[in-house]
């Protein structure tokens, strides 16, 4: 049997041993935060692959009018006193599936106090796309020609057209339809009726700063009888982001004319344009 002394000392030794073990145990410390990941490589600047580093550009319709407005004037004083002024407007507004166009050419001139040029051609058209290539349109037109003694001509019509060719620099559209027209010649009663029409539009960007446009509308059987057509051409060059120079031409043909007027009239004029 164990002695009473051993029985009293044994619990005391166990208590001391456990206390020493606790004293020797290392204190727990907080772990350091994780190191940040290495930085991503910088954007590649190689010119061959630079386009891959940019977000794709989406050619969304601006829903705003853009185009140009031009003015020109010519004065001559001396043995002949003459003046000629011109005004042009070429504007378009494009939305998701619709396009609005406005085109106006006006030329007026006098010589020795008498008017020798008085031409106004205006066209306004609304187009709605049907698929990728086809479109329908409604149009309003107005015309005046003092030399031909045409006081006024107005028309309203519509039809179908096609985008025959379209690229970043060249576009060509053709359309056909019918129009109800009314025209008044000086000293005559108004003529009214329905006439068919054929038209085309060409736009060619020669360079970043120069553009050529061409429009042609043919009426095979006009309300006054016979064929007539109107053709416009313009070459525009930008001087800066706002101003530019323009050379324009207006040519009109009528199979049936009044008095001593000629069948074909051609007007060429220049002016300064302002883009918007």
């Amino acid at each position: 049997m164990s002695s009473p002394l051993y029985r009293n000392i044994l619990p005391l030794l166990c208590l001391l041993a456990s206390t020493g073990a606790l004293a020797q145990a290392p204190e727990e410390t907080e772990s350091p935060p994780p190191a940040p990941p290495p930085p991503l490589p910088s954007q590649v600047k190689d010119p061959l692959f630079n386009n891959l580093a940019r977000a794709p550009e989406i050619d969304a319709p601006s829903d705003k009018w853009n185009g140009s407005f031009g003015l020109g004037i010519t004065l001559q004083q001396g043995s002949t006193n003459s003046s000629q002024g011109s005004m042009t407007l070429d504007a378009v507004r494009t939305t998701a599936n619709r396009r609005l166009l406005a085109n106006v050419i006006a030329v007026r001139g006098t010589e020795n106090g008498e008017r020798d040029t008085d031409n106004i051609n205006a066209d306004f058209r609304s187009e709605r796309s049907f698929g990728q290539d086809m479109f329908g349109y409604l149009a309003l037109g107005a015309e005046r020609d003092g030399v031909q003694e045409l006081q006024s001509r107005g028309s309203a019509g519509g039809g179908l057209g096609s985008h025959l060719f379209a690229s970043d620099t060249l576009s060509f559209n053709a359309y056909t339809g019918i129009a109800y027209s009314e025209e008044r010649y000086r000293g005559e009663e108004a003529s009214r009726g329905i006439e068919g029409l054929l038209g085309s539009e060409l736009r060619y960007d020669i360079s970043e700063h120069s553009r050529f446009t061409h429009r042609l509308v043919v009426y095979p059987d006009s309300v006054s009888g016979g064929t007539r057509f109107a053709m416009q051409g313009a070459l525009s060059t930008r001087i800066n982001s706002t101003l530019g120079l323009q050379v324009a031409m207006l040519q009109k043909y009528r199979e049936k004319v009044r008095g001593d007027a000629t069948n074909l009239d051609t007007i060429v004029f220049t002016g300064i344009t302002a883009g918007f």
Side-chain angles (χ1 to χ4, degrees), residues 101-267:
L101 301 99
N103 177 256
V104 180
I105 291 181
V107 182
R108 184 171 181 177
T110 61
E111 184 173 356
N112 296 326
E114 296 184 1
R115 185 180 305 172
D116 65 348
T117 305
D118 186 9
N119 263 282
I120 299 175
N121 277 67
D123 293 289
F124 305 93
R125 193 162 75 249
S126 173
E127 297 179 354
R128 182 177 179 85
S129 299
F130 300 114
Q132 185 176 2
D133 299 326
M134 300 296 295
F135 64 89
Y137 72 92
L138 296 174
L140 296 174
E143 182 181 354
R144 176 181 172 86
D145 190 337
V147 177
Q148 294 281 348
E149 298 186 351
L150 176 64
Q151 291 182 317
S152 65
R153 176 186 286 121
S155 62
L160 296 173
S162 175
H163 304 294
L164 298 179
F165 188 84
S167 68
D168 293 338
T169 59
L170 178 65
S171 67
F172 181 72
N173 303 328
Y175 56 92
T176 184
I178 59 173
Y180 179 82
S181 301
E182 176 182 304
E183 55 185 31
R184 293 178 178 274
Y185 285 89
R186 188 175 295 112
E188 298 182 12
E189 295 184 358
S191 300
R192 303 179 182 87
I194 296 177
E195 51 189 11
L197 63 91
L198 300 169
S200 65
E201 294 178 341
L202 172 70
R203 187 211 68 194
Y204 175 52
D205 291 337
I206 302 172
S207 67
E208 184 180 356
H209 305 289
S210 301
R211 171 179 293 180
F212 174 74
T213 58
H214 183 272
R215 293 180 176 88
L216 173 65
V217 183
V218 180
Y219 299 85
D221 188 12
S222 62
V223 296
S224 58
T227 302
R228 65 180 175 90
F229 72 75
M231 183 173 61
Q232 303 174 17
L235 176 62
S236 303
T237 301
R238 267 196 236 163
I239 301 174
N240 53 37
S241 59
T242 303
L243 298 178
L245 296 175
Q246 182 186 68
V247 179
M249 179 194 70
L250 173 62
Q251 190 172 66
K252 296 191 292 186
Y253 170 84
R254 296 174 185 81
E255 184 178 349
K256 294 184 178 182
V257 295
R258 267 67 173 170
D260 298 330
T262 60
N263 298 94
L264 184 65
D265 291 326
T266 303
I267 304 172

Side-chain angles (χ1 to χ4, degrees), residues 72-76 82-85 270:
I73 187 169
T74 302
L75 299 175
Q76 180 178 348
S82 63
S83 63
Q84 179 174 294
T270 62

